[in-house]
Amino acid sequence: DYIKYHVTLDVDEYMHIDHPGYEWAKERIFTQEEWKEIFDLTEKHGKKLMLLFNDKRSVEFGMQFNPDLVEIHSVCLNDINLLTSLKNTIGNKPTKIVLGVGGTDLYEIEYAINFLENDNIVMMHGFQNYPTEYKDINFSKIKKIMSLYPNLDHGYADHTAWNHENNVFITMMGAALGMDYIEKHVTTDPGEGRTDWQAAITIEDFVEIQEKIKVLS
C-alpha cells in the first residue's frame, strides 16, 4: 500500500564528514526536482507515500507533498532538532508519525512521544542488523511495549535474511502480534549486493506475505 523513501537533502546534517559512507552518500543524493519526479510517479501508480526524514530540510520539503506516513528512524529518535522540525512542520495535518523503536529503551520512546504531542503515532518495532538474527527480534519485548501503548498503532519491520527458509514465517509471526503495519524490503534482483540487500526479499515472497496477511486480517 505504501512505498517508503529515505529522504536526505543535507548530508552534512545527517552524517559526519569522517563517516565512511559520507562521500558515497554525497555522490548519490537526489535533488528536490528528482524527488518530486519520484513522488509523482508513486502517486501515478496508485501507491501512498511514506517518507523517512534524515534532516530538517527534508522535513520541510517532504511535508509539502502531504505524505500519509512520515518516519523518524530509531537512531534519530531523540534527535531534538529533527523532532522539533517535524513537530513544527506537521502542525495539525492528519499525517501519521512513525517512530522507529527497534533497539531503543522505554525512556527514549517516552521522551519522543511526549515531545511530539501528537496522537497520530505509529510505533515501528523490529531490530535492524542486516540480516536480523531471530534471537535478536525479541517478540516478548515487542508485546510488552505494545501493552504499554495500547492506544497507538503498531508496526513490525522485518529484516531477517532474504534467503532464509523461515523468512515469511517469521514475518507472519510478527504480523500476528496484532500489527497495523508490516514493512519489508523487496528487490527485483535478490542476492545482489546493493543497499540493504541482505533483507530484500523476492517479489514472489512479497506477494506471498501480502496474501497471507489478508488471511490473517
Side-chain angles (χ1 to χ4, degrees):
D1 301 304
Y2 301 86
I3 298 181
K4 174 180 172 180
Y5 298 109
H6 289 231
V7 184
T8 306
L9 292 176
D10 186 352
V11 177
D12 291 297
E13 179 187 334
Y14 175 57
M15 189 181 297
H16 193 274
I17 192 171
D18 289 339
H19 191 283
Y22 178 84
E23 291 299 332
W24 183 93
K26 199 83 169 179
E27 293 172 0
R28 289 163 176 79
I29 189 170
F30 289 165
T31 65
Q32 292 188 13
E33 290 73 23
E34 288 169 327
W35 275 122
K36 185 179 185 304
E37 183 180 349
I38 291 169
F39 297 160
D40 289 343
L41 193 62
T42 304
E43 183 179 6
K44 177 182 176 182
H45 286 275
K47 299 301 179 183
K48 301 175 184 178
L49 280 180
M50 178 178 180
L51 304 182
L52 185 148
F53 297 130
N54 291 324
D55 56 87
K56 292 179 290 185
R57 281 180 57 197
S58 67
V59 174
E60 296 165 2
F61 170 72
M63 287 305 300
Q64 299 177 48
F65 297 88
N66 298 311
D68 291 87
L69 298 171
V70 297
E71 182 173 359
I72 299 295
H73 197 283
S74 59
V75 298
C76 301
L77 189 60
N78 288 167
D79 183 333
I80 190 68
N81 293 320
L82 199 55
L83 289 176
T84 300
S85 179
L86 181 59
K87 180 178 180 179
N88 293 340
T89 308
I90 202 168
N92 295 320
K93 291 184 177 182
T95 303
K96 290 191 174 185
I97 301 174
V98 179
L99 297 180
V101 298
T104 65
D105 61 39
L106 293 176
Y107 298 104
E108 293 172 309
I109 295 170
E110 188 73 10
Y111 178 85
I113 291 175
N114 290 338
F115 184 88
L116 288 169
E117 298 178 313
N118 192 303
D119 295 328
N120 289 328
I121 287 180
V122 180
M123 300 184 70
M124 188 63 73
H125 305 270
F127 188 67
Q128 302 179 30
N129 58 349
Y130 291 91
T132 301
E133 298 289 340
Y134 295 160
K135 62 182 177 61
D136 294 328
I137 296 174
N138 201 345
F139 283 138
S140 59
K141 177 185 177 183
I142 292 174
K143 289 192 292 183
K144 176 65 175 179
I145 295 176
M146 292 177 72
S147 70
L148 295 174
Y149 298 96
N151 297 324
L152 299 181
D153 284 350
H154 294 269
Y156 173 58
D158 184 80
H159 295 83
T160 49
W162 70 274
N163 58 346
H164 197 286
E165 60 183 358
N166 289 323
N167 185 293
V168 173
F169 175 65
I170 293 294
T171 304
M172 295 310 302
M173 285 186 65
L177 297 179
M179 297 298 178
D180 302 283
Y181 300 89
I182 296 296
E183 176 183 323
K184 293 288 287 187
H185 288 266
V186 64
T187 180
T188 55
D189 299 294
E192 184 176 324
R194 303 189 297 185
T195 302
D196 297 345
W197 67 275
Q198 299 94 332
I201 59 174
T202 65
I203 298 294
E204 291 75 20
D205 284 344
F206 190 81
V207 172
E208 180 183 351
I209 289 171
Q210 182 188 39
E211 293 301 319
K212 288 184 176 179
I213 286 177
K214 289 179 182 177
V215 175
L216 181 62
S217 297

